[in-house]
Structures are given as C-alpha cells and as structure tokens.
Amino acid sequence: MFDKILIANRGEIACRVIRTARRMGIKTVAVYSEADADAVHVRLADEAVPIGPAPSAQSYLVIDRIVEACRATGAQAVHPGYGFLSENPRFCAALEAAGIAFIGPGVSAIEAMGDKIESKKLAQAAGVSTVPGHLAPIADEEEAVAVCRRIGYPVMLKASAGGGGKGMRVAGNDAEAREGFRSARNEARSAFGDDRVFAEKFIEEPRHIEIQVLADAHGNTVYLGERECSIQRRHQKVIEEAPSPFLDEAIRRAMGEQACALARAVGYRSAGTVEFIVGADRSFYFLEMNTRLQVEHPVTEAVTGLDLVELMIRIAAGEPLPFRQDDVRLQGWAIEARVYAEDPLRGFLPSIGRLTRYRAPEEGPGVRVDTGVEEGGEISMHYDPMIAKLIGIGADRDAAIASIRSALDGFVIRGVSHNIPFLAALMHHPRFVEGRLTTRFIAEEFPDGFHGTAPAGEAADRVAALGAALLHRLALRGAAAGPRDWVLRSGRRNRPVTVEEAADGWRVVLDGRPFAVAGRWRPGEMLFDGTVDGERLVAQVDRRPVGLRLTHAGGEADLVLLTPRAAALAELMPVKAPPDMSRFLLSPMPGLLVSVAVAPGEPVRAGQELAVVEAMKMENILRAERDGVVGALHAKPGDSLAVDQKILEFAAA
C-alpha cells in the first residue's frame, strides 16, 4: 500500500479523497493555484505544493508541475479526481514514466474511451448497444446539415473530446444544425483543445442512466448497480439518484453485463462509469465511458456501503477486489443535488464572489455533504462554480426525498447567488416525486426558465404563522409580554393575526385559524428549526429593511408585521416602478465577450443572435428579445464584462 498520495485536483473532490486517505493511514499532498492558496483542501492535506497562477491552463492542467510536485514530496501515487487531468492519457503516461502510480485506468483504456467516436466503435465490437449516428468528424456546417438530414432530426451534435455538457447541441432543423455545429466546435476547442464534432440520433423521451463498474488487475470486473442522471440542464447533471426508479432487475443486469463487457474489452482497471441513454421502452444505448470517478459517486456508495475512492487506491496498489458480483447488494435509496453558485432567476448564470455566510446541514444517517468551501472563501471565475454536493439517504425513495428536502431548507449560503431554490422546487415537483423522469424534464416543466416559487396553500399558512411569531418576538424585545393584535402584510395582502408567547414558542391566530409554533429562535439567527402544529418546519430567516424574509421549500415569503393603523396607511403607499433598461443588451454574467454579431444602425429581429459571452468555458448566445435597430455598441470582442454591464444599446423607437 502507498504511504503518500498526491491529489491532482481542488475543491470538494480533493477534500473527499483526503478524507478516505486519512482513514486508510495514507499521507496526502495537495496542489494549489494562487487563487486556492487558502482553500480548504490545502489545509486538510498533510503537505501542499503551489503549482502556478489561477487559470487552470497555467496550474492544474500543467502536467510537468504535478509530476515535479510528486518528486518533491515523495508521493508514490496520484489521484486525479474528476475534470482537469483525470482523463488525460499524457498525464497518465508521464506519471508512469516517472515511476508514480496513477489511481485510475491505464493509458490504453483512457485513450480508447476518451475519444467518443472511437469508443463507440469499440463498444459495437464488444457487443454493446450503440445509438445510430455518424461517427466520423464533421468538416463544416454544410456537412453537418447533410449528416443530420441523413440520420433524421432531432440529432445531437457532440464534441468528440467533450464532457460535462460542453460541446453538445440538439438540432431539430437545418438552421439549428448549422448553429449547433458552430457552437459545439467553438466550445470544444476552448474547453478541450479539440474541435472535432460528430452526430448521433437524439432519443426522444430519453433517460440518462449510468452503470458504475470496478475492475482490478487480476481479472475481476463487477458492476455496482446504476445511477439515474436524467435531471439535467444543458446536458449538465443536476440531480442524480441510485437506484433508478425506472429499471427492473432484468434490465439492470443486462446493462451491467454490457458495461462489464466493455470494461474487459479495453483492459480496464479502477473505477469507471459506462453511460447509457434509455428509451421509454427500456431499450438502452451506449453513450460513453468515463474513465474516472464520477461527481455523483456518493449515491452509489450510499446504497452499496462501499468506499469507491478506497477501492480505487487499493486497485492501483495492486490489490484484488475483495468481493465478486454476487456479493453486491443494493440497499436503500440516495439522491444527490449539486449546489452551484449560479442564479436560477437569471438563466442559471454563474455567480462569483465571497461566501459571506456558509453553513451546511448537519451530516447524519440521512444526510451527507461533500464540499470544499467554507465561510469567507471565494467562488472564483476560474473554476467550476460548485459549492457542494448534498446527498439525501433513506430506506426508500420517499425517505430519501424527505431527507434532502429538509437538508436543502437548512443550507445557508450568502454572498453569492445559488441554485438551492431551484433544487428545492425539483424535490417538491409532483412529476419528480412520481419518478416520471427524462432528460427533457427541466425543459418541459420550466419552459420559460425558473422564476422562483412562493409557499402556497397549507405551506403558505404555516410559513406565515411562523413569520408572525418571529416578527412578534422582534417587535416586543424588552417590552411587556402578552397577546397582541397585528396585521401581517405580504406583498399587498393584509391578514389579521394575534400572537401570544407560550412556554414552548408561540400561539398564533391567523385569519381566525390557530397555529402552535414551537422552537427556539433568537433574533439574529439565520435558521429556524422547529414545528408548526406539530409538523417539522425548517426555514431560513433574513432581516429585510422592513420585516423578514423566510425561505422554505425553495420559496420565499417577505413578511411585515404592522399595527392595524400602520397597515391601513400602507395601503395608500404608491409602488415605485423599476427603471426601464429594455433598450440595453446587458451582460447577464461576468465573462469574456467573444463576439458581437451586429453593428450600429443594423435592424435586428426577435431571436436574432446579438453577442456571445463565454463564462466557465461555456458559450452563451445572447439574442434579441424583440425587433429593433442597434443604436450604439458599448463593448467590443475581447472585453471582460461584469454582471449587467452594457454591451449594446438599441435606438429609440
């Protein structure tokens, strides 16, 4: 076994590998860029080595610096995590040449599966079901149209070296084929340095289901069940769960056996994932094999009781797997939600900045949190904006959903925008609860984007009763206790309410209905965890200029407690209209202005491309919302843009 390993990564995955290595008695070495000098993974490791400036191309992606860090510290092996160099065969070869073990598969397997075109050919040869398509690189936009017509729309255009949702576009007609090919190629060139694009049939009503495999160097290959990864946005996974609510044991076995056959065909060793697209009739087709640990591996660990990182380390050290296929048992259910620094109300645009407040839910039997940040840390524009992975675990799917719901309510993040309201909305969505999932779920259920939610019905009354109790507590600090008659105002709605303090909390009468609010809360605390009428309610509490904002189940309620006289006067107050910014095209995110497609004086039509902004290695096409004429340009290609910075201005009508 190794005495010391180096983790060639950062953030939550580096922290996660360090935890397992420490439990195994293995010392760890972290590497870090200038932006990560104070990062959590640097502090957790036994040693840390600086490897360059903030941009990953000058630090985490520089092979020579990682190898030199191993030599300088005596690290005998490297765990690459995921992303960065994890599937780079040149990195694996460089470590091999230096006599350093790679905690992952060999060079030949990485090369075979790293090219999506060649991997599909190998899968076909191994007897694995594959999607109909055109596996040769497409030369230009016109060939893209011809190929898509031959396959039959809809068609998926995919970067050969792609991953993580980058370099992927769905085309439903010739125009979308041209634009999709251009964007996929540009994204692939920027993110992977490889602009080859191929095409395959887009399966309608598809599910994205993947099989976790493990293989050692002694001929043992097993599968550890499946993960349902169908809840995606722009081909990026948002929610993952194990097992899938769709598969039966026969399909699970068939998919697992094909995944193992592919792993054997390429001489695979270590942990890997074979991804399939599954149709409504449970037909399944090979998509790709990821030759690394997956972001969503914790849900598999939860239902199998296995530590995949430990098994990867042991396999790399030459040990055989300690079990066989018949020993694998799936127990319980686990659901993972990816918590990102992004603004779901602004098209899920990345958010950067400092975490002024950060409090993750307490871990326990039903909750696991994998994170690599802390309060006061910074979400940098240079890296993926993931804050944490939240895993809810239960005896069955309903219990896992309940666990993750309450944990989301208790996840306190301030200083950057985040997607927790959207994740909570997903966890409460009836279609999700029923398990009727496809990769089109988000597009179908949120066709106009996510615009937030508000508590409704019974939930709204419970939140309102809680708000009245907390506002009463604030209003009467230091004053004589006793029942008080108030008016609870939410938006333009006034509701009569009486609040009286009780031994275990408050007695609230709202619109004539009594509520018992129980729980300990003091002014200044950002979390209430108690009960309303005996039912648990976890809510975040934020002071507003006037009143409180309560956040529960992804919804926000702004509440103000007024005297009856003040409430009557509030009815007379005018509402201030926001300034009209409709004549400007504003940058929706911090990023690089890649191109501007129009010039001053040029007429444009609704839906026409105006500019392209790149952020987090993703191209974002900004389009005209209505017909108009370009008046002036306020930025040029190559400019670094801030959020809401003006790009262009339309002429007055």
Side-chain angles (χ1 to χ4, degrees), residues 311-633:
L311 291 167
M312 291 178 74
I313 293 172
R314 293 192 180 282
I315 290 169
E319 296 184 13
L321 284 172
F323 55 86
R324 297 295 181 265
Q325 187 65 60
D326 290 343
D327 300 319
V328 177
R329 296 286 185 272
L330 305 183
Q331 293 185 319
W333 213 284
I335 301 174
E336 176 179 295
R338 301 187 185 191
V339 180
Y340 276 105
E342 60 185 12
D343 191 344
L345 300 179
R346 295 169 62 96
F348 298 91
L349 297 172
S351 177
I352 62 174
R354 193 165 299 283
L355 290 166
T356 56
R357 297 297 297 270
Y358 179 77
R359 184 185 305 167
E362 288 189 16
E363 293 192 78
V367 177
R368 169 175 166 177
V369 182
D370 283 14
T371 187
V373 301
E374 62 186 352
E375 190 165 291
E378 187 170 358
I379 304 299
S380 168
M381 67 178 291
H382 297 289
Y383 312 116
D384 186 271
M386 180 183 284
I387 295 173
K389 300 182 311 197
L390 178 62
I391 301 96
I393 305 164
D396 54 27
R397 192 167 187 267
D398 288 343
I401 290 174
S403 292
I404 202 167
R405 281 177 177 174
S406 60
L408 285 167
D409 284 337
F411 214 131
V412 177
I413 300 172
R414 301 292 184 271
V416 297
S417 299
H418 55 80
N419 66 337
I420 286 179
F422 180 62
L423 297 174
L426 291 174
M427 289 297 105
H428 285 82
H429 197 289
R431 182 175 157 188
F432 178 83
V433 174
E434 293 168 15
R436 294 187 293 111
L437 316 178
T438 75
T439 57
R440 296 282 300 162
F441 181 97
I442 291 176
E444 291 168 355
E445 300 301 327
F446 302 91
D448 300 318
F450 179 70
H451 304 293
T453 60
E458 178 66 21
D461 288 343
R462 294 172 65 238
V463 169
L466 171 62
L470 302 187
L471 286 163
H472 174 88
R473 174 73 182 273
L474 287 171
L476 296 187
R477 278 187 296 179
R484 296 292 178 99
D485 293 327
W486 303 95
V487 173
L488 185 68
R489 188 172 177 85
S490 177
R492 305 290 291 183
R493 181 186 182 190
N494 287 339
R495 308 178 70 180
V497 61
T498 300
V499 183
E500 180 179 7
E501 295 194 23
D504 58 347
W506 302 267
R507 298 290 180 265
V508 178
V509 179
L510 179 66
D511 290 332
R513 177 185 169 185
F515 292 86
V517 179
R520 301 177 64 85
W521 180 83
R522 292 178 298 178
E525 292 181 349
M526 298 185 68
L527 203 64
F528 173 86
D529 189 346
T531 64
V532 177
D533 284 349
E535 188 173 333
R536 187 184 181 198
L537 193 153
V538 180
Q540 294 181 35
V541 184
D542 289 290
R543 294 292 298 268
R544 306 291 290 164
V546 178
L548 292 175
R549 171 172 291 172
L550 300 188
T551 305
H552 170 70
E556 294 179 343
D558 289 335
L559 303 169
V560 180
L561 201 62
L562 302 172
T563 65
R565 174 61 176 161
L569 294 174
E571 290 282 354
L572 306 177
M573 295 294 290
V575 178
K576 182 178 180 180
D580 181 13
M581 300 296 290
S582 61
R583 65 191 182 94
F584 295 100
L585 176 68
L586 307 177
S587 178
M589 74 204 82
L592 176 71
L593 182 58
V594 176
S595 64
V596 177
V598 293
E602 181 178 340
V604 297
R605 301 191 65 82
Q608 181 177 336
E609 179 181 324
L610 300 177
V612 176
V613 176
E614 181 186 285
M616 306 290 184
K617 299 296 183 184
M618 295 284 282
E619 285 196 350
N620 301 272
I621 300 174
L622 308 184
R623 302 181 185 278
E625 294 184 356
R626 59 180 181 272
D627 296 351
V629 177
V630 179
L633 301 181

Side-chain angles (χ1 to χ4, degrees), residues 193-225:
D194 183 342
D195 65 359
R196 290 176 301 155
V197 172
F198 69 101
E200 62 186 17
K201 180 68 176 176
F202 181 72
I203 307 299
E204 300 194 67
E205 293 189 37
R207 287 177 179 251
H208 185 135
I209 299 177
E210 60 191 27
I211 301 293
Q212 176 71 59
V213 297
L214 278 173
D216 62 24
H218 303 273
N220 303 311
T221 304
V222 300
Y223 65 91
L224 305 181

